[in-house]
Amino acid sequence: MSQNMKRAKIKWAIFFSGGGRCANDCLNLLVENNFDHHYIDCIVTSGQKTENIKNFEKHHIEVINRNPKSYSSIEEYQIWLSKVLKERNIDYLFLLGYKYKIRTTLLDTFRNRILNIHPSLLPAFKNTQSAIQDAIRLGVKVSGVTTHIIDDKIDEGIIIDQEPVRLNHTDTFSEIDIVYNEAGKVLIERTLSFVYANHDRVNYLQNYFDIQEGLPDSA
């Protein structure tokens, strides 16, 4: 691609199930830091009513807010969702606090283009929705936040980046949660930069992940 050719913006769909704090942080990052090469095309929520949705609507970002339980199965819901996102020409999905497992149709449609943020240094504390609490309970001194690619296993996809968090066990959970949130903001910014640096509309990072998958195990 010619260096003089303007690269198209990368279109994101942001997924969340809870209050949407992390998703809102991502939006603010793009708005405040003027990330011209990325934009959020839509957000996908699962029937929530949250103030953070209003912030996306204020920036004219479409909210796809449909409860998966209104379908006969999660698979049926994700088949419908995959079609919607494909029609919108979405490049990447970013799961920022999304509680539903991604099933085959979405995985096949967006292979190596579904990112997740997890509040631990994977592979530690994987496959849990209480990773921070578990780290505190076990007296872990350093944990952190990870962004990784979603595959057909839970929290086992290729790691993109990690940001450590040092745990002070004299702090309250609310204080520790704030530290994790700040680490998450840092990691989201680096992850967006990584995706842009490696993104190609033909192979969608495929060359990068083929190399990673071909590396020998460290053990």
Side-chain angles (χ1 to χ4, degrees), residues 8-12 37-39 91-92 195-196 199 201:
K9 288 186 176 183
I10 295 175
K11 297 176 68 172
W12 292 86
H37 38 275
H38 297 275
Y39 79 97
D91 292 313
Y92 295 94
V195 169
Y196 181 71
H199 173 76
R201 288 194 170 273

Side-chain angles (χ1 to χ4, degrees), residues 61-72:
I61 296 170
E62 183 165 345
V63 178
I64 301 172
N65 190 7
R66 189 174 294 190
N67 194 332
K69 294 180 180 179
S70 63
Y71 290 78
S72 62

Side-chain angles (χ1 to χ4, degrees), residues 45-47 66-74 76-77 99-100:
T45 67
S46 48
R66 189 174 294 190
N67 194 332
K69 294 180 180 179
S70 63
Y71 290 78
S72 62
S73 66
I74 295 297
E76 182 186 343
Y77 164 73
K99 69 179 182 180
Y100 294 98

Side-chain angles (χ1 to χ4, degrees), residues 21-189:
R21 181 181 66 178
C22 195
N24 200 60
D25 288 341
C26 184
L27 171 62
N28 291 337
L29 177 69
L30 294 181
V31 172
E32 296 169 4
N33 291 23
N34 196 27
F35 273 32
D36 290 337
H37 38 275
H38 297 275
Y39 79 97
I40 300 174
D41 178 82
C42 60
I43 64 169
V44 176
T45 67
S46 48
Q48 294 91 329
K49 296 180 180 179
T50 169
E51 286 297 315
N52 281 329
I53 289 178
K54 295 180 180 179
N55 198 21
F56 286 93
E57 292 174 335
K58 183 178 71 175
H59 288 90
H60 308 291
I61 296 170
E62 183 165 345
V63 178
I64 301 172
N65 190 7
R66 189 174 294 190
N67 194 332
K69 294 180 180 179
S70 63
Y71 290 78
S72 62
S73 66
I74 295 297
E75 288 84 354
E76 182 186 343
Y77 164 73
Q78 291 192 4
I79 288 171
W80 168 81
L81 183 58
S82 179
K83 181 180 179 181
V84 170
L85 297 177
K86 191 173 181 180
E87 289 174 349
R88 298 181 72 91
N89 294 314
I90 298 298
D91 292 313
Y92 295 94
L93 319 183
F94 206 167
L95 280 53
L96 300 174
Y98 190 66
K99 69 179 182 180
Y100 294 98
K101 181 180 178 181
I102 301 300
R103 307 303 173 104
T104 300
T105 299
L106 275 175
L107 286 172
D108 289 346
T109 304
F110 296 95
R111 183 172 185 265
N112 289 338
R113 292 184 283 149
I114 307 178
L115 286 66
N116 181 52
I117 190 165
H118 184 76
S120 77
L121 295 178
L122 291 176
F125 302 111
K126 65 183 179 181
N127 193 13
T128 176
Q129 295 186 12
S130 59
I132 299 175
Q133 294 92 329
D134 294 345
I136 295 171
R137 178 175 54 83
L138 292 174
V140 171
K141 300 297 186 290
V142 178
S143 187
V145 187
T146 300
T147 48
H148 66 103
I149 294 296
I150 290 289
D151 60 14
D152 59 346
K153 302 177 181 65
I154 298 178
D155 296 334
E156 291 191 17
I158 294 172
I159 292 172
I160 292 178
D161 201 353
Q162 295 180 308
E163 178 69 15
V165 169
R166 182 167 291 278
L167 298 177
N168 183 345
H169 292 272
T170 62
D171 290 343
T172 65
F173 178 81
S174 295
E175 291 169 328
I176 292 174
D177 186 52
I178 290 172
V179 175
Y180 268 90
N181 187 54
E182 292 303 314
K185 292 178 185 178
V186 171
L187 193 59
I188 288 171
E189 182 169 5

